[in-house]
Amino acid sequence: MLSALKAEIQKMRSFIPASVRYGAPYRQKLKYLMESQFFGVERVREGQASDLRDLLRQAFLHTSHYRRMAQEIGCSWQDFRSPEDLRRLPVLARDTVRERQAEFLSDNIPESRRQKRFTGGTGGQPLGFVVERGRTDPLERAFVGRIWDWFGSRFEDPGVIFRGYAVDPADIRRGRFWGPWYPERNWACFSSYHMSGENLPAYAEQIRKLNPMFISCVASDLDPLARYWIEQKLAPLPRLRFIHQSGMLMHSDQRERFEKAFGARAFSTYGQSECTVFAGECEHNTELHVFPEYGVTEILRKDGGLADIEEVGEIVATGFNNYAMPLIRYRTGDLGAWSARGCACGRPFRLLSRLEGRGQYMIVLADGMVVGLNSILYGSHLPGLRMLKQVQVVQDKVGEILLMAVPTQEFNEDAGRALAAGLASVVEGRLVVHFRLVPEIPRVEGEKFKVLVQNLPVSWWTGYSGESPL
Ligand SMILES: [Zn+2]
């Protein structure tokens, strides 16, 4: 009864325009962001330094963790004149946040304005944290709003969502694999858990009927539908402006498939539940533009030094949007490299030329070396991969992986053998690849699809921390 009432209120709220519903923080930030994208580099840096001082003031005065740190180091928030000054502070490990969460909570933000969040992912251990109710989400939306503006759509426009949502089981029984997604009245969310062959015609028909202006998705969730669309030679969606992918890495073959199937540009954004970093592609470029108004983003070597241009390191980030639980120089577990190039759009942002994904996408070779799964799987451009609908890799032993794959009709045993041999040769024989074809890869409802199930203790930062492989 109560939940029905809540749904009804949400539905009514959804008729209020986004600019009113998300409130002043959203409106002011979006207005600023629409202007700041045309500022020169120096002016953007000044704004960034000022936002950083405000964040440090909050953290140093109102959280016990950072108050103590400031005393130990002997610094005040006023000492931080440029984003580079942040390097005076140590990096922050996710485990520290997990173990000492209360010390990161701001004492001037009351319980009623603390919004609890969870993130799964890295290493399988979930992290609980807190964001600021009425401020963090509206600010986050403003950053997404700017990028949507680049591609020609707004929150009020009709759209469809594929993001691991579970739809009401009663609807599923009636063959409806979608439901409304409030607070946006024009959005429909589709179940990611029922996209098998027999249901796909119903998905396609409903989407054609909705005639969306955008698709928002996690790449792996949309992929089965894109393949179906192409196989059936369905016409592209006439009003579609873009396909916005986030939550994982989108590979070049997925991008091509989405654009071919639905007939609009597919782009990615990169961010995190912890709200420390945000980046997105623009109209001119598929490299991710890191947003300096969102926070300070660093790429560090294993020794803590700054990575060179085009050198892969860990992304360490400080976000400005969460005063309830400030995370400063937070180790994201993601790997990236700064691009040497600028972008034709002329906006004052640095680009990422590589994003290797989370630490948990690392696998251990026979000699104990840790490498990114994506660079092996997709950096190798093996033709056999294109004949697979979906893959999942499981690692239980050093130097061995199990590659489970759902094949397309064109796939055959020869292609399988060539693929396994090709993957092993990418890392000069330091990896044995067991290959298994499966009709489908089971998904856990409510969880993001995992490309890698890593059962070994691995991180890029510390390497393989299990028993010696030799
Ligand atoms: Zn650009």
Side-chain angles (χ1 to χ4, degrees), residues 229-271:
W229 212 274
I230 292 169
E231 275 164 24
Q232 298 297 315
K233 300 193 170 57
L234 298 179
L237 294 164
R239 281 204 299 184
L240 196 72
R241 301 274 170 85
F242 61 76
I243 299 141
H244 173 194
Q245 190 292 140
S246 64
M248 66 180 299
L249 300 171
M250 175 167 63
H251 299 295
S252 52
D253 56 331
Q254 286 173 323
R255 183 197 298 274
E256 281 169 28
R257 207 152 39 236
F258 296 165
E259 295 185 345
K260 184 176 168 195
F262 305 114
R265 165 75 191 274
F267 71 90
S268 269
T269 53
Y270 159 64

Side-chain angles (χ1 to χ4, degrees), residues 150 280-289 342-347 349 351:
W150 296 352
E281 298 173 23
C282 82
E283 321 89 298
H284 302 273
N285 198 322
T286 58
E287 290 189 334
L288 291 162
H289 300 46
C343 180
C345 72
R347 296 185 182 103
F349 310 148
L351 307 185

